[in-house]
Amino acid sequence: MGQTLVEKIISSHSGKTIQQNEIAIVNVDAVMASDTTAPLTIKSFEEMGGTQVWDSSKVVFVIDHAAPAPNERIANLHSLMRDFAKKQGIKLYDAGSGICHQLMVENGHVKPGQLVLGADSHTCTYGALGAFATGVGSTDLAAVLLTGKTWIKVPETIKIQLNGTLQPGVSAKDLILFLVGQLGIDGATYKAIEFTGEAITNLSLDSRLTIANMVIEMGAKAGFVDTIGLELPYEFEPIKADEDAKYESVYAFDVSQLEPQVAIPHSPDNVKPISEVEGSMIQQAFLGSCTNGRLEDLHEAANILKGKRVHPEVRFMIAAASTEVYLQALQDGTAEILTRAGATFLPSGCGPCVGTHLGVPGNDEGIISSTNRNFRGRMGNRNSNVYLSSPAVVAASALFGKITNPKKLLKEAVK
Amino acid sequence: MGQTLVEKIISSHSGKTIQQNEIAIVNVDAVMASDTTAPLTIKSFEEMGGTQVWDSSKVVFVIDHAAPAPNERIANLHSLMRDFAKKQGIKLYDAGSGICHQLMVENGHVKPGQLVLGADSHTCTYGALGAFATGVGSTDLAAVLLTGKTWIKVPETIKIQLNGTLQPGVSAKDLILFLVGQLGIDGATYKAIEFTGEAITNLSLDSRLTIANMVIEMGAKAGFVDTIGLELPYEFEPIKADEDAKYESVYAFDVSQLEPQVAIPHSPDNVKPISEVEGSMIQQAFLGSCTNGRLEDLHEAANILKGKRVHPEVRFMIAAASTEVYLQALQDGTAEILTRAGATFLPSGCGPCVGTHLGVPGNDEGIISSTNRNFRGRMGNRNSNVYLSSPAVVAASALFGKITNPKKLLKEAVK
């Protein structure tokens, strides 16, 4: 019988042909832990009697969630990571280097067809490369550090076909927000998702990372973006699902008429077309995160904000997804355009996304954010209201101090 | 009898001739409060029955000390400031705009000969312009908000004459560290200090701000940097002390042979020539603050780090003193040079200086910092060791992971 992508990758990593709903023991190609999870992973590893990780070249640590350290306790957790990484010969990206998921992709720690685990729920991002990547707990990761293996129950697969051409001002983030809204926050629980169709295969790498990043917002175990049209800085052998692979379900949408989408408080699946929420007041705007902190995203905002100035009562913050992204934005003038427009650049990293520091909102404030979650209190204040959107909507909304459709601004820019 | 600068300025602001040790009621030209003090100032103002500030055009609020907000409590204090400023028509510089003292100077909120109060101890910085500027408590500032006046006991004045030409790699920060070491942390308590001599009058505005910034580290009420050679973007009438003014004491130093200076833990007056502390290990380097976060300081570091890469075990962080400084560093390539060298830019503001967020060190770490205070715990961890130095020493030390004299690097750069 034909195989889905997840069946193929798990089979190739377990040494035998495995089908959905079976349990496999797999070899892991790479693992990642951030400052949120690495300290617990290290503790578990040592409690398990671990002395040397199975393969230090396959382990990556990143200090990104609360970086630079906002307090003494976290500073000492960072020190613990540095000490362990140094002793074990593990690659560690320190505070300011960028977001774990961006660094994994950018620096080739994950490649198409691989099986990668991270102690972070958005590890699913690497599905943009056609890798099987999923988040695991710190203790599970510790066991992988010891053995290089883990067990996986092979997920069933949902296929999503997106047809049509996107309108100007509509981007990958709108596609994935739309889908999260359609399927719901538990609509793909423990499923793999394969994305295909021209609206997907026309996307850049940056945009594909946005799509894969948010499959966890539907509960999915992993996502796979069709690798047709994918450009990477190295050669790779695309893996394709078999024609007769068995899918749990198949969805098809024509997205030609899709409006920009906004997830309103307090859930990523509480998604509305922008026309239903335009005019909602915002005091803070954030562009960044593993969802939308890449060069394409910064370009999108700069395109809207060039020569303009954000609303005086809006704090507009940007965190590039990595130092490399920041450097490119320095070189091509994007950082200057955005700074002149009133943006404040935060250190490359997670920024205010997880509410640990760097832009916790005040009570009753509205925040437009290019991030992936708006659960109550996610950004550090249960009395604030976080709206999720594309970079274009973030930029347009920052300009007017209220949720704004970027469409008319893009028309102006063309004239 | 002749008058010192402080006697002249206080006289002109009290409407009669006043001498040292007398108490004067003065008109205040401008007041400033930051997010550390404005919330208490607002509370006191309202407790005093205040409804409208005496002159909203003379009041400036700046959100810089813990900005962007690191937690909900501080976020709501920021909101309190914004609400009050909006209601009162007060100019507010929001998170990411820069450090209060830099913004006051850069945007002309303080000018030569004026009398300015700030609810921050480093308000003395404006003495670089030949203004009388001093820090007051939040409650005192609230009274000024009501009345536009305060009382001052006129300080006696210490005159410090610095002669000679500085060696390459030696800068204004070394001068003021040297003086703090000489006079001690209480060596100028409640005194004004007048700085003069060719080693002072040859300095740029940026450097003069560094000098005036640290007079509080000797306990001084205010400092005055000789305005000879001072270049400002507007015309001004220099005020000079009378030839026969009476000084509490006069110091003269020849600084031609001065080495770079370092204040070792845990006091700004614990100052050593760098040759005595070279080689001390550091894990964090910070370039920024109201002492040394200006363009000249960034240039100094870029000159040393161009084409090089900081030590892999050093976190090198930079916070420009203002968005304007950051923009200039973007435009002239300085930001790119420093980022390529491994620096992480923090939002323009106080950065890790006051230990509220953005780079709290771990236990037992050494930090080289261009800031003004290294009291135990100042940077948020009582078990870390902060060394104060010039930007050149910060950059050279970041390069080698240990305290390093920039002299030999500058020689290399010239070759």
Side-chain angles (χ1 to χ4, degrees):
Chain A
M1 195 175 74
Q3 286 190 306
T4 60
L5 282 171
V6 71
E7 289 171 322
K8 289 202 172 188
I9 294 176
I10 292 179
S11 293
S12 73
H13 284 76
S14 66
K16 54 183 178 176
T17 301
I18 299 279
Q19 289 186 325
Q20 52 200 31
N21 295 316
E22 292 182 345
I23 289 177
I25 303 293
V26 289
N27 293 311
V28 176
D29 291 312
V31 301
M32 186 281 298
S34 77
D35 50 329
T36 304
T37 51
L40 281 170
T41 302
I42 294 167
K43 186 163 171 276
S44 296
F45 177 79
E46 289 172 348
E47 284 172 0
M48 289 173 188
T51 51
Q52 183 65 41
V53 301
W54 105 100
D55 184 342
S56 61
S57 72
K58 294 181 174 172
V59 184
V60 176
F61 279 1
V62 183
I63 296 177
D64 60 353
H65 276 64
N71 58 50
E72 180 180 336
R73 186 183 65 81
I74 291 177
N76 286 330
L77 292 175
H78 291 179
S79 296
L80 173 73
M81 287 176 70
R82 290 185 195 105
D83 292 346
F84 185 83
K86 190 173 179 181
K87 197 174 74 181
Q88 296 280 341
I90 291 171
K91 174 71 185 174
L92 179 140
Y93 294 94
D94 215 319
S97 304
I99 305 170
C100 53
H101 305 306
Q102 180 65 15
L103 294 168
M104 288 292 285
V105 170
E106 207 172 78
N107 296 298
H109 298 297
V110 51
K111 291 186 173 165
Q114 287 190 334
L115 191 153
V116 176
L117 302 178
D120 184 280
S121 60
H122 292 101
T123 301
C124 55
T125 307
Y126 324 148
L129 304 181
F132 174 85
T134 197
V136 297
S138 301
T139 314
D140 280 329
L141 201 76
V144 183
L145 285 188
L146 272 173
T147 63
K149 296 180 193 297
T150 195
W151 67 269
I152 297 174
K153 183 182 170 198
V154 185
E156 298 177 350
T157 297
I158 297 170
K159 187 174 187 171
I160 297 178
Q161 175 130 10
L162 300 182
N163 301 314
T165 304
L166 296 177
Q167 297 284 323
V170 180
S171 65
K173 181 63 166 288
D174 300 302
L175 291 179
I176 192 68
L177 282 173
F178 170 73
L179 292 172
V180 174
Q182 290 294 313
L183 273 72
I185 203 143
D186 55 1
T189 300
Y190 209 89
K191 303 290 188 290
I193 301 176
E194 291 183 11
F195 297 92
T196 189
E198 63 191 5
I200 290 292
T201 56
N202 285 337
L203 295 175
S204 67
L205 171 61
D206 283 6
S207 284
R208 290 168 193 232
L209 289 162
T210 303
I211 299 281
N213 176 265
M214 285 187 73
V215 300
I216 185 66
E217 268 46 83
M218 300 177 273
K221 188 72 173 168
F224 296 92
V225 180
D226 197 329
T227 51
I228 292 177
L230 177 65
E231 288 184 17
L232 293 176
Y234 49 82
E235 295 286 313
F236 69 99
E237 193 68 44
I239 305 177
K240 289 183 191 306
D242 293 325
E243 291 287 338
D244 57 345
K246 186 180 163 197
Y247 291 96
E248 186 266 355
S249 53
V250 178
Y251 295 86
F253 299 95
D254 187 306
V255 295
S256 303
Q257 299 306 317
L258 192 73
E259 280 188 58
Q261 305 285 303
V262 178
I264 70 172
H266 295 283
S267 179
D269 70 346
N270 203 359
V271 175
K272 309 287 179 195
I274 196 165
S275 52
E276 290 185 24
V277 293
E278 268 176 303
S280 301
M281 302 295 285
I282 56 109
Q283 288 76 35
Q284 182 164 307
F286 176 56
L287 174 59
S289 85
C290 51
T291 320
N292 279 122
R294 286 170 279 271
L295 193 63
E296 180 178 280
D297 304 314
L298 272 55
H299 284 168
E300 193 86 32
N303 186 31
I304 286 168
L305 293 173
K306 187 171 186 173
K308 299 192 174 75
R309 181 93 195 162
V310 301
H311 190 279
E313 290 178 21
V314 171
R315 286 115 48 205
F316 181 30
M317 289 177 280
I318 302 177
S322 69
T323 297
E324 184 54 37
V325 170
Y326 179 65
L327 265 173
Q328 288 171 3
L330 284 181
Q331 282 186 290
D332 73 8
T334 302
E336 191 180 330
I337 290 169
L338 291 168
T339 303
R340 287 197 183 282
T344 294
F345 274 85
L346 308 178
S348 300
C350 300
C353 174
V354 282
T356 47
H357 67 153
L358 274 176
V360 173
N363 290 347
D364 303 321
E365 289 193 327
I367 301 95
I368 189 87
S369 177
S370 71
T371 53
N372 45 41
R373 285 181 179 158
N374 62 344
F375 302 120
R376 189 184 283 280
R378 164 79 175 187
M379 226 174 231
N381 185 342
R382 291 181 58 81
N383 299 308
S384 65
N385 295 303
V386 180
Y387 298 81
L388 306 179
S389 78
S390 71
V393 172
V394 168
S397 304
L399 200 52
F400 292 104
K402 55 190 180 186
I403 294 180
T404 301
N405 191 331
K407 199 170 174 179
K408 64 172 182 176
L409 292 162
L410 291 167
K411 275 183 186 162
E412 281 172 17
V414 170
K415 271 179 198 169
Chain B
M1 197 174 75
Q3 285 189 307
T4 61
L5 282 170
V6 72
E7 288 171 323
K8 288 200 173 191
I9 295 176
I10 293 180
S11 293
S12 73
H13 286 76
S14 66
K16 54 182 178 176
T17 300
I18 299 278
Q19 288 184 325
Q20 52 199 29
N21 295 315
E22 291 182 344
I23 289 176
I25 303 292
V26 290
N27 293 310
V28 176
D29 291 312
V31 300
M32 187 282 298
S34 78
D35 49 330
T36 303
T37 52
L40 282 171
T41 302
I42 294 167
K43 185 163 171 277
S44 295
F45 177 80
E46 288 171 348
E47 284 173 359
M48 289 172 189
T51 52
Q52 183 65 41
V53 301
W54 104 98
D55 184 343
S56 60
S57 73
K58 294 182 174 172
V59 184
V60 176
F61 279 1
V62 184
I63 296 176
D64 61 353
H65 277 63
N71 58 51
E72 180 180 337
R73 186 183 65 81
I74 291 177
N76 286 329
L77 292 175
H78 291 179
S79 296
L80 174 71
M81 286 176 71
R82 290 185 195 104
D83 292 347
F84 185 84
K86 190 173 179 181
K87 196 174 74 181
Q88 297 279 342
I90 290 171
K91 174 70 184 173
L92 179 139
Y93 293 95
D94 215 319
S97 303
I99 306 169
C100 53
H101 305 306
Q102 180 66 14
L103 294 167
M104 287 292 284
V105 170
E106 207 171 79
N107 296 298
H109 297 297
V110 52
K111 290 185 174 167
Q114 287 190 335
L115 192 153
V116 178
L117 302 178
D120 185 279
S121 60
H122 292 102
T123 301
C124 55
T125 307
Y126 323 149
L129 303 181
F132 174 86
T134 197
V136 297
S138 302
T139 315
D140 280 329
L141 202 76
V144 182
L145 286 188
L146 273 174
T147 63
K149 296 179 195 297
T150 197
W151 67 270
I152 296 174
K153 182 182 171 197
V154 185
E156 297 177 352
T157 297
I158 296 172
K159 186 173 188 172
I160 297 178
Q161 175 130 11
L162 299 182
N163 301 314
T165 304
L166 295 178
Q167 297 284 322
V170 181
S171 65
K173 180 64 164 287
D174 300 302
L175 291 179
I176 191 68
L177 282 174
F178 169 73
L179 292 172
V180 174
Q182 291 293 314
L183 273 72
I185 203 145
D186 55 1
T189 300
Y190 210 88
K191 303 290 188 290
I193 301 176
E194 291 183 12
F195 296 92
T196 188
E198 64 191 2
I200 290 292
T201 55
N202 284 337
L203 295 175
S204 68
L205 171 60
D206 283 6
S207 284
R208 291 169 192 232
L209 289 162
T210 303
I211 299 280
N213 176 266
M214 285 187 73
V215 300
I216 186 66
E217 268 46 83
M218 300 177 273
K221 187 72 172 170
F224 296 91
V225 180
D226 197 330
T227 52
I228 292 177
L230 177 65
E231 288 184 18
L232 293 176
Y234 48 83
E235 295 286 312
F236 69 98
E237 193 69 45
I239 305 177
K240 289 182 192 306
D242 293 324
E243 290 287 337
D244 58 344
K246 186 180 161 199
Y247 291 97
E248 186 265 355
S249 53
V250 178
Y251 295 86
F253 298 96
D254 187 306
V255 294
S256 302
Q257 298 307 316
L258 192 74
E259 279 186 59
Q261 305 284 304
V262 178
I264 70 172
H266 293 284
S267 178
D269 69 347
N270 203 359
V271 175
K272 309 286 179 196
I274 196 166
S275 52
E276 291 184 23
V277 293
E278 269 177 301
S280 302
M281 303 294 286
I282 57 108
Q283 288 77 36
Q284 182 164 308
F286 176 55
L287 175 59
S289 85
C290 51
T291 320
N292 280 122
R294 286 170 278 272
L295 193 62
E296 180 179 278
D297 304 314
L298 273 56
H299 283 168
E300 192 85 32
N303 185 32
I304 286 169
L305 293 172
K306 188 170 186 174
K308 300 192 173 74
R309 181 92 193 161
V310 302
H311 190 277
E313 290 178 20
V314 172
R315 286 111 54 202
F316 182 30
M317 290 178 280
I318 302 176
S322 70
T323 296
E324 183 55 37
V325 170
Y326 179 65
L327 265 173
Q328 288 172 3
L330 284 181
Q331 282 185 291
D332 73 8
T334 302
E336 191 180 331
I337 290 169
L338 292 168
T339 302
R340 286 198 183 281
T344 294
F345 274 85
L346 309 178
S348 300
C350 300
C353 174
V354 283
T356 48
H357 67 154
L358 274 177
V360 173
N363 290 349
D364 303 320
E365 289 192 327
I367 301 95
I368 189 87
S369 177
S370 71
T371 53
N372 44 41
R373 285 180 179 160
N374 61 345
F375 302 121
R376 189 183 281 281
R378 164 77 174 188
M379 226 175 230
N381 185 342
R382 292 181 57 81
N383 299 307
S384 65
N385 295 302
V386 180
Y387 299 81
L388 306 179
S389 78
S390 72
V393 172
V394 168
S397 304
L399 199 52
F400 292 104
K402 55 190 179 188
I403 294 180
T404 301
N405 191 331
K407 199 170 175 180
K408 63 172 182 177
L409 293 161
L410 291 167
K411 275 183 187 162
E412 280 171 17
V414 170
K415 274 178 196 170

